[in-house]
Structure formats: structure tokens, C-alpha cells
Amino acid sequence: MIRELVKPLPQRRASTQSSARFFHLVDAIAQAHEPTESQLAALERSYNSTGDFLSECPEFSGQLVQIHSHGSRRLGTIVRPLDGSREGFDIDLIARLAPSARRKYEGDRGAALLLDHLHSALSRYASAHGLRLHRWERCATLEYAGGMCADIAPVIDAPLLYGPYGETHGLIPDRERRLFNSTNPRGYAKHFDLAAMISPNFHLSEISTKAFDSAKRADVVPLPDAQEVFGRLLCRLVQLLKLHRNVAFGSIKEKDLAPTSVFLTTLAAIAYTAEAPLPHASPLELLFDIVERMPLHFVRRRLPGGSEEWELPNPSAPTDNLAASMNNSSRQAAFFEWHRRLLEDLKRILDVIENHQGMDLLLKAVQVAFGPKGFAAVQQMEIGRQESSRQAGRAILLASPAAMPISIAARPHTFFGG
């Protein structure tokens, strides 16, 4: 087993003001890549409509327990998709079936039959609403107007008698392998929520994180309030990682090498759980410590031929290896190269802020790390900040009745989150 330490960067001595400005910048970039109010409303309508339809389908009569969201929208880490050719956002849904469905879908044909039933039901929905439907090995995708997509997967409840999230464990079908795999979307969301609830231990700043309790209904579970989940520090960190990944692997040639969202999200949550309780001078120091140590939180095994096998157990379904997609030498090399570039890009942005190198260099550094949309978001924020300073932060000092007035800009506040 390989346990290579990540070479630490020189100690960061950023001022409190630079740390605060850095996180305002991160917040602006993340918000620019989140759904707008109208897009959130469209997601909500589509989610509820699809869920209500499936709840009444004869294919699942008496066995469909619940329709619920999972993935980035549920966790509050949603960003624009890696595919930059469309403006729509993606949402992931689970069609949850009762344990009794295992008898109906047992045998070699069971997994394929369940997916056939899902596809048959969604075909009627797609036809009725003029939507495109895509069929995959473990789910189906509805493509709505505006480029929004919903991935819908069926999961049969299969509670376990062991493990911290055994009561929400389930089985997801795999048509190609003709079997059911271990999964636990509800348990994973609970694990992430518990991590996000941890209050960071800051010397100089304080952050309050809101706990989120998912609503429970017997049919379609409401989507969590966007403002509650998007505002959590861990969510912002995951969004930052995903946005940087999207830019770094933006070319068609490199897209297949990009680390998956669930791999990055899980590493970030584990690292946050380990680092947040430890004393840190600022959120910025915590961010760098988490990013630096992410590669330490999965197992690397050297195989006889010299290649590596990576393992990252799903915290809610231990037999599910979330690093399985990374077991390719090209992807593994690309991950470490991306991780190096991420640290360099973050440090470059911080250096520009700390050394007061000006807006031009700041915007250039942001564009390299987070692309044109990040550039535009920070540019708009900086222009607005300067305009506010000009309008509200000036005092007129008179040296004498006959003297010309001198205009002096008041210092802006520097507390975190203001």
C-alpha cells in the first residue's frame, strides 16, 4: 500500500484582509456557476412533475416508495456541467422501491427488467412532454428544454444490519453486468451533511454553518432549500474543486481523464472532517490544508505489473469503490497533475491579492484557474466594490475655510463574510 505524503507548500502568511477578499472572490465565482432563480424554479418544476408521474406508473404499482434527489443538487455542490456546450444544469433522481421488489426482479434478467420498466414509464412521460430520453446501463436521462438533464436511477431498499448507514442501504441495477450493485444515496447525503455541520476552529474568524435536515415524505421529497445548502463552507470548497476541474479538463481530448465529481466530493468531505476541528488561523488556511491533503485520503495499492489500484470506499456503502473509475494509469497521472495545478493556481490568486498587484493580474489569474465565467464574476464584483467605495466611503476634510476639499477613501471592512 502506498502512502506518499504531499509535499507541503511554504507556510502561508496571508493577512486577514487578504483571506476575507479571497473568500469573497470564491463566493462570487461559485455563485456565477450556480443556477439562477428561474433555473432553480425550472429544476423544481421538472423534478416534481417527473416524480409525480413515476409515483403513479403501473410498472411500479405498490412498490415505489419514494422519489428523491441525490447528487450535487441535494448536497448543495451543483455547478454548470463539465460539458460546456449547454447552459442547462443536471439533477439526479432516485426512484426508490420497497424491499419486496427484490422478489420481482430476482434472477439473471432482474436488473435488466427493472431498467426496462423504468425506460418504459419514462418513454410515456417523454412523449407526453416532447422530451428526449437516453437509455444507459444503470439509469435513464431525460433531456428538458434549455439543456437541463435529469438522471433517474431505480434503487431497491436493501437494509443492512451493520454499518453507520445500513438502514438506508440499497441495490442499483447494472444491465451490462446483469446484477445489482451496492449503493446508498440517502446515506451518502447524510454523511456529507454531518461533515458540513462541523464548525471550523478558527483563531481569527468565526463561521456558522447551518445544519440541514432533509424533509421526508412518502412520495416525492421536496428539494432542499438552495440558500441553506449552497452557503455551507464545505459546499463552496467542493464547488471550487469541480469548477477548477472543469476548466483544467475543458478540451474534448481531456474530458475522459477528469476525476469524477463523487470522487472529488468524497475526498473533500473526508479531508474537511479531519481538518476542520483542528485550529486554523483563517478559512483560507483551512482551504489549503484540505486541498493539500486530499490525496492522502484514498488507498493506493501497487500491483505486480507496476500499475496502481486505487480504493475509496463509499462511506455509506463500503463495498462500493468510489475510486473504481480512477483505476487507469492515464487518469491517475492526470489527477496528480490537476492537483498540482490547483494548488499553484490558488496560490497565484492569493499572491496577487496579498501583494496588491492590481485588478488586471487578479483577473488574469482567475481566468486561468476558473475560466471566462469566473473572470466575469470577479470583474463584476471588483467593479461593484470600487463603486460602492466611491459612493459610500468618502469623507470630505477641510484644512481651512479657504482650502480646497480633499477626498479620502475610507477603509473598507475586512471581516470575513461581510
Side-chain angles (χ1 to χ4, degrees):
M1 184 171 65
I2 304 170
R3 286 290 188 186
E4 293 180 359
L5 294 178
V6 178
K7 185 179 179 180
L9 294 180
Q11 187 175 5
R12 295 166 297 277
R13 299 187 181 278
S15 66
T16 304
Q17 182 175 358
S18 294
S19 179
R21 190 176 177 199
F22 183 95
F23 267 83
H24 281 303
L25 178 150
V26 167
D27 208 44
I29 294 171
Q31 288 182 16
H33 289 83
E34 291 174 351
T36 63
E37 289 297 326
S38 60
Q39 288 172 322
L40 278 173
L43 278 171
E44 185 98 24
R45 288 193 300 271
S46 299
Y47 169 84
N48 289 327
S49 173
T50 306
D52 289 340
F53 177 85
L54 287 175
S55 296
E56 300 174 358
C57 284
E59 286 88 346
F60 307 117
S61 178
Q63 293 178 321
L64 190 64
V65 177
Q66 188 183 67
I67 305 294
H68 66 85
S69 65
H70 78 109
S72 60
R73 175 59 183 91
R74 164 61 181 83
L75 302 180
T77 61
I78 192 171
V79 295
R80 294 184 183 277
L82 183 59
D83 178 9
S85 63
R86 57 189 176 91
E87 285 295 310
F89 288 80
D90 298 335
I91 187 171
D92 299 307
L93 306 181
I94 294 296
R96 181 180 154 218
L97 282 72
S100 59
R102 295 181 70 174
R103 293 193 296 271
K104 181 177 180 179
Y105 297 108
E106 63 184 359
D108 290 343
R109 279 282 304 156
L113 180 61
L114 177 52
L115 289 165
D116 287 344
H117 285 174
L118 176 69
H119 186 265
S120 174
L122 291 176
S123 292
R124 297 196 302 275
Y125 182 84
S127 297
H129 294 83
L131 308 178
R132 295 180 63 185
L133 178 64
H134 305 275
R135 186 171 185 163
W136 311 108
E137 297 303 320
R138 294 177 59 159
C139 67
T141 300
L142 281 170
E143 187 175 339
Y144 299 89
M148 190 189 81
C149 292
D151 290 339
I152 305 165
V155 171
I156 301 176
D157 279 356
L160 300 176
L161 298 178
Y162 60 89
Y165 307 101
E167 73 279 4
T168 56
H169 180 265
L171 298 172
I172 187 170
D174 187 320
R175 183 192 308 276
E176 183 179 13
R177 299 173 63 192
R178 296 191 299 177
L179 49 72
F180 285 86
N181 295 315
S182 176
T183 190
N184 197 342
R186 290 183 296 152
Y188 186 92
K190 186 180 294 186
H191 172 268
F192 187 89
D193 286 340
L194 289 174
M197 288 169 59
I198 298 173
S199 297
N201 184 0
F202 295 133
H203 297 316
L204 305 179
S205 307
E206 289 186 359
I207 284 185
S208 61
T209 56
K210 295 182 179 180
F212 172 73
D213 296 321
S214 101
K216 294 183 178 179
R217 277 178 51 189
D219 47 353
V220 180
V221 180
L223 292 175
D225 181 78
Q227 295 306 314
E228 286 188 2
V229 293
F230 288 159
R232 301 184 295 189
L233 183 60
L234 176 56
C235 298
R236 279 291 185 251
L237 169 60
V238 173
Q239 287 176 311
L240 194 73
L241 298 176
K242 291 163 66 174
L243 291 172
H244 189 275
R245 173 206 61 182
N246 290 356
V247 173
F249 295 91
S251 70
I252 296 176
K253 182 180 178 181
E254 294 175 322
K255 281 182 180 178
D256 290 339
L257 298 177
T260 62
S261 293
V262 70
F263 181 68
L264 296 183
T265 301
T266 306
L267 287 180
I270 294 174
Y272 180 87
T273 301
E275 294 294 330
L278 303 178
H280 287 86
S282 69
L284 182 61
E285 183 182 285
L286 173 61
L287 168 65
F288 272 95
D289 281 351
I290 289 172
V291 171
E292 286 178 5
R293 288 161 175 75
M294 280 173 55
L296 301 179
H297 293 290
F298 60 90
V299 176
R300 300 166 57 193
R301 291 190 180 90
R302 185 81 70 185
L303 300 179
S307 61
E308 288 184 10
E309 181 182 59
W310 290 7
E311 183 180 352
L312 178 64
N314 185 329
S316 59
T319 61
D320 180 20
N321 180 15
L322 299 181
S325 63
M326 302 299 295
N327 284 324
N328 171 287
S329 58
S330 297
R331 273 198 164 192
Q332 292 170 355
F335 170 78
F336 284 115
E337 174 61 24
W338 166 77
H339 182 259
R340 181 196 61 77
R341 175 177 166 180
L342 171 64
L343 286 170
E344 288 182 353
D345 286 347
L346 292 177
K347 187 176 184 300
R348 184 181 301 110
I349 293 172
L350 176 60
D351 287 344
V352 172
I353 294 173
E354 182 72 8
N355 297 321
H356 307 287
Q357 296 177 17
M359 187 186 295
D360 287 345
L361 287 180
L362 174 62
L363 292 175
K364 181 179 179 181
V366 168
Q367 181 157 10
V368 169
F370 300 108
K373 192 171 286 290
F375 173 98
V378 173
Q379 183 181 49
Q380 184 176 0
M381 181 193 74
E382 289 294 303
I383 292 174
R385 189 174 66 90
Q386 292 179 3
E387 183 63 28
S388 297
S389 178
R390 282 194 294 268
Q391 292 180 1
R394 292 189 175 277
I396 302 298
L397 302 181
L398 298 179
S400 67
M404 293 291 293
I406 303 174
S407 181
I408 299 178
R411 293 181 62 187
H413 62 73
T414 58
F415 58 84
F416 176 77

